């Protein structure tokens, strides 16, 4: 279900824009659709046909996504979420009322250090399925910040993602700078975001200053060099007034050397940004390792002393072996992922 499908469904029941906006607001807040206002009961202002259809509409919305399992960790709970067709995605309840949502089932970028990328892309997540993850979380606790950093590459599902961001920034009562879109970098993102009425903050996956190494680590990302990516990010940061968050997954012996530190200092000098270093979250059977704790501290101290704001951001769920994509991978099983990919309907050849 796309938001346009839901909106047309309500319009067919006689709902005017004011009624449709009201229902979207109460749903995004995790409340029942027949919730009234402080001064009026829902039955006093919703059309009769719409009131009679609310149980069926509620069932449709509840069927979009359900919590399959919850895995509590020291840095927040990771939710494994069932979608209506049996596919699964992950959401994470982050500290300070944050929520990380997924935008795709699987991912096509194939980052070598990411479990989600190992499954390939299964399908897109619709705008209403993205929003349903927020609704599920808000039924558990307050959500004041939403980051699009879960399973999937948002730039590859941009229409659904932008629709969800727009609704969260308008009807969902979330501040625009508290909506954060994470991407490996795609020209479509930088073309589309300035045109939106809700402009989210940006987190850009950098990971290295070396063009060839970045192409190796992110094999199917857009062919943008690190320098080009930073220039695009800097323009967006200055236009919106939100600093760019550059993401750097620390891989021992790969991108944690002094040469990389000096290069990133040069690359980000004078830029409106913060660098988030993310120690690698070990995957089963993977060759990569995270740097030793002492080396991580050295890196942060070295960059700080030279004027680059740097923060350590551990991947949520590490203490429950629930880093991005790991819960789903265990639930589905690697063999089942391969079967699902093979069963995707092939494109018809052009006549």
């Amino acid at each position: 279900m796309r938001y346009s499908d839901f909106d047309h469904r309500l319009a067919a029941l006689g709902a005017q824009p004011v009624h449709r906006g009201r229902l979207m607001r109460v749903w995004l807040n995790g409340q029942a659709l027949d919730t009234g206002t402080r001064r009026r009961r829902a039955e006093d202002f919703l059309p009769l046909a719409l009131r009679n259809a609310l149980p069926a509409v509620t069932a449709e919305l509840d069927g979009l996504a359900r919590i399959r399992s919850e895995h509590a960790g020291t840095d927040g709970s990771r939710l494994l979420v069932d979608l209506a067709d049996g596919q699964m995605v992950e959401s994470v309840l982050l500290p300070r009322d944050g929520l990380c949502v997924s935008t795709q089932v699987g991912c096509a970028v194939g980052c070598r250090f990411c479990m989600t990328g190992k499954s390939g892309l299964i399908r897109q997540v619709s705008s209403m399925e993205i929003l349903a993850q927020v609704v599920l979380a808000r039924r558990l606790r307050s959500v004041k910040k939403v980051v699009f950093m879960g399973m999937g590459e948002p730039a590859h599902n941009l229409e659904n993602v932008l629709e969800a961001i727009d609704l969260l920034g308008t009807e969902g009562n979330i501040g625009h700078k508290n909506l954060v879109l994470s991407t490996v970098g795609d020209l479509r993102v930088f073309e589309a975001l300035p045109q939106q009425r809700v402009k989210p903050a940006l987190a850009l996956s950098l990971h290295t200053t070396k063009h060839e190494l970045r192409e190796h680590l992110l094999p199917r990302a857009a062919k943008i060099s690190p320098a080009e990516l930073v220039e695009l990010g800097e323009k967006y940061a200055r236009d919106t007034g939100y600093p760019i968050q550059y993401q750097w997954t620390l891989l021992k012996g790969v991108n944690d050397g002094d040469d990389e530190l000096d290069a990133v200092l040069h690359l980000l000098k004078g830029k409106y940004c913060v660098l988030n270093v993310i120690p690698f979250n070990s995957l089963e059977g993977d060759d990569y390792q995270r740097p030793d704790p002492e080396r991580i501290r050295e890196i942060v101290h070295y960059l700080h002393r030279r004027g680059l704001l740097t923060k350590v951001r551990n991947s949520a769920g590490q203490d429950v072996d629930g880093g991005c994509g790991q819960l789903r991978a265990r639930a589905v099983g690697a063999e089942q992922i391969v079967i699902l990919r093979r069963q995707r309907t092939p494109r018809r050849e052009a006549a």
Side-chain angles (χ1 to χ4, degrees):
M1 186 193 299
R2 292 283 306 272
Y3 169 68
S4 56
D5 301 323
F6 179 64
D7 196 53
H8 292 156
R9 170 101 160 84
L10 297 183
L13 293 168
Q16 299 300 310
V18 64
H19 305 131
R20 305 200 295 270
R22 171 66 187 171
L23 291 186
M24 180 55 68
R25 284 192 295 276
V26 297
W27 179 63
L28 285 176
N29 201 41
Q31 298 174 305
L33 296 186
D34 60 358
T35 302
T37 66
R38 290 182 180 179
R39 299 181 180 180
R40 301 176 69 188
R41 299 175 302 175
E43 54 264 37
D44 292 336
F45 63 87
L46 292 180
L48 178 60
L50 179 58
R51 296 205 306 270
N52 291 338
L54 285 185
V57 174
T58 298
E60 289 180 36
L61 293 175
D62 288 346
L64 289 170
R66 301 179 186 277
I67 296 176
R68 179 188 181 101
S69 59
E70 182 175 354
H71 305 258
T74 57
D75 53 3
S77 294
R78 184 172 288 275
L79 307 177
L80 187 60
V81 176
D82 276 329
L83 304 179
D85 64 351
Q87 294 290 353
M88 289 173 281
V89 294
E90 297 172 7
S91 304
V92 185
L93 300 173
L94 301 170
R96 296 179 293 280
D97 295 334
L99 174 70
C100 178
V101 297
S102 293
T103 59
Q104 294 180 308
V105 181
C107 182
V109 176
C111 298
R112 298 183 186 277
F113 46 81
C114 175
M115 180 65 80
T116 300
K118 295 181 183 297
S119 68
L121 177 63
I122 307 299
R123 73 165 175 87
Q124 306 290 10
V125 175
S126 74
S127 56
M128 291 295 282
E129 289 173 323
I130 296 171
L131 295 172
Q133 295 173 63
V134 179
V135 173
L136 290 175
R138 278 183 160 170
R139 289 174 179 168
L140 298 175
R141 46 151 251 202
S142 172
V143 173
K144 298 179 180 178
K145 179 176 183 177
V146 177
V147 297
F148 294 74
M149 296 183 184
M151 294 171 57
E153 166 51 52
H156 294 172
N157 188 20
L158 198 55
E159 190 173 353
N160 280 297
V161 169
L162 292 180
E163 193 167 73
I165 286 174
D166 183 79
L167 287 161
L168 290 171
T170 53
E171 310 294 4
N173 195 33
I174 295 180
H176 299 187
K177 67 179 180 180
N178 287 328
L179 294 163
V180 184
L181 188 153
S182 177
T183 176
V184 296
D186 191 297
L187 291 178
R188 292 169 293 185
V189 171
F190 299 102
E191 292 167 356
L193 289 190
Q195 301 175 37
Q196 306 304 307
R197 63 174 175 173
V198 177
K199 297 177 178 62
L202 262 184
L204 299 178
S205 296
L206 188 57
H207 303 306
T208 177
T209 62
K210 302 171 183 177
H211 187 38
E212 290 186 2
L213 176 58
R214 190 169 187 272
E215 287 190 340
H216 172 74
L217 294 175
L218 286 64
R220 288 181 290 281
K223 304 305 180 184
I224 301 174
S225 72
E228 291 172 317
L229 183 62
V230 169
E231 286 306 312
L232 290 167
E234 179 67 7
K235 184 178 187 311
Y236 185 77
R238 298 297 178 181
D239 289 345
T240 60
Y242 310 151
I244 299 295
Q245 300 177 38
Y246 289 104
Q247 313 284 65
W248 189 289
T249 298
L250 284 173
L251 305 170
K252 186 175 182 178
V254 177
N255 64 354
D256 63 340
D258 290 343
D259 60 331
E260 283 275 36
L261 302 186
D262 290 336
V264 79
L265 283 168
H266 178 74
L267 185 62
L268 300 182
K269 182 178 180 180
K271 300 297 189 293
Y272 189 27
C273 69
V274 57
L275 181 66
N276 292 329
V277 295
I278 308 165
F280 174 65
N281 186 15
S282 299
L283 307 175
E284 296 176 8
D286 210 307
D287 294 331
Y288 293 111
Q289 296 179 340
R290 63 191 291 153
D292 298 330
E294 180 58 32
R295 178 55 180 163
I296 296 172
R297 287 191 289 270
E298 287 176 359
I299 289 171
V300 174
H301 184 61
Y302 185 88
L303 296 175
H304 260 309
R305 283 194 309 169
R306 287 155 180 80
L308 178 59
L309 179 60
T310 308
K311 299 180 180 180
V312 177
R313 292 279 192 250
N314 283 302
S315 175
Q318 292 191 29
D319 58 333
V320 292
D321 291 329
C324 189
Q326 289 179 300
L327 294 180
R328 180 183 181 277
R330 286 201 298 273
V332 175
E335 182 177 345
Q336 182 67 10
I337 291 175
V338 173
I339 292 172
L340 288 169
R341 291 180 66 191
R342 288 175 177 169
Q343 289 178 344
R344 288 182 296 178
T345 304
R347 295 180 181 177
R348 293 184 178 180
E349 296 296 330

